[in-house]
Amino acid sequence: MTVYARFIKQMISSKLHRPDGTVETTKDPAVWTLAHRGYSGSGRLDVWVYPSKKTALHEGAKLAMTCGMDEDEHAAEPFAAGRYEQVMNRYEETHPETHLLRVQAAFLQTTDDQAPAGL
């Protein structure tokens, strides 16, 4: 499990703003994910996990470029400049609504309840 520890980070999962001006911040374990749904895979949603947001954005932009965005100057220029989120946004702008290419945190679902015996 130690090998995977670099993927799991404590990230802000909620912020509670009270009327008195105080803010309560909650952090929970999460991983950075890249989700893609495109022409291949019969509408399947593929999800990958990365150790950082920066890495996930870079890989998402590379995927966008291999999915035809390398011929779009509004994607090629930002890609060369390292503006990977802009490349991914361009992918979604130019593809059908059913397509998806996003990076986001996915929070691990934990419970304090013990699993029933035998599971």
Side-chain angles (χ1 to χ4, degrees):
M1 195 64 160
T2 315
V3 176
Y4 306 107
R6 67 186 179 106
F7 285 79
I8 302 171
K9 313 279 190 236
Q10 290 292 317
M11 293 189 226
I12 295 173
S13 56
S14 68
K15 282 189 177 185
L16 175 61
H17 297 267
R18 294 202 171 88
D20 66 2
T22 60
V23 177
E24 180 183 328
T25 303
T26 304
K27 290 186 175 185
D28 287 299
V31 293
W32 284 106
T33 63
L34 168 63
H36 177 253
R37 179 182 300 127
Y39 290 116
S40 64
S42 301
R44 173 186 72 223
L45 178 66
D46 294 309
V47 180
W48 297 271
V49 175
Y50 293 95
S52 69
K53 181 178 183 179
K54 181 179 177 180
T55 304
L57 286 170
H58 181 249
E59 293 301 315
K62 282 178 23 182
L63 178 59
M65 298 304 277
T66 62
C67 290
M69 298 307 295
D70 57 335
E71 297 175 14
D72 182 325
E73 67 183 55
H74 297 291
E77 290 174 17
F79 183 81
R83 294 189 307 269
Y84 303 128
E85 197 162 0
Q86 206 173 332
V87 174
M88 295 172 61
N89 290 340
R90 180 68 178 161
Y91 174 91
E92 286 199 353
E93 287 172 12
T94 60
H95 285 76
E97 194 175 288
T98 56
H99 289 212
L100 174 90
L101 185 61
R102 299 211 185 126
V103 168
Q104 66 184 42
F107 289 92
L108 305 181
Q109 302 300 307
T110 60
T111 179
D112 293 333
D113 299 334
Q114 299 245 345
L119 290 182

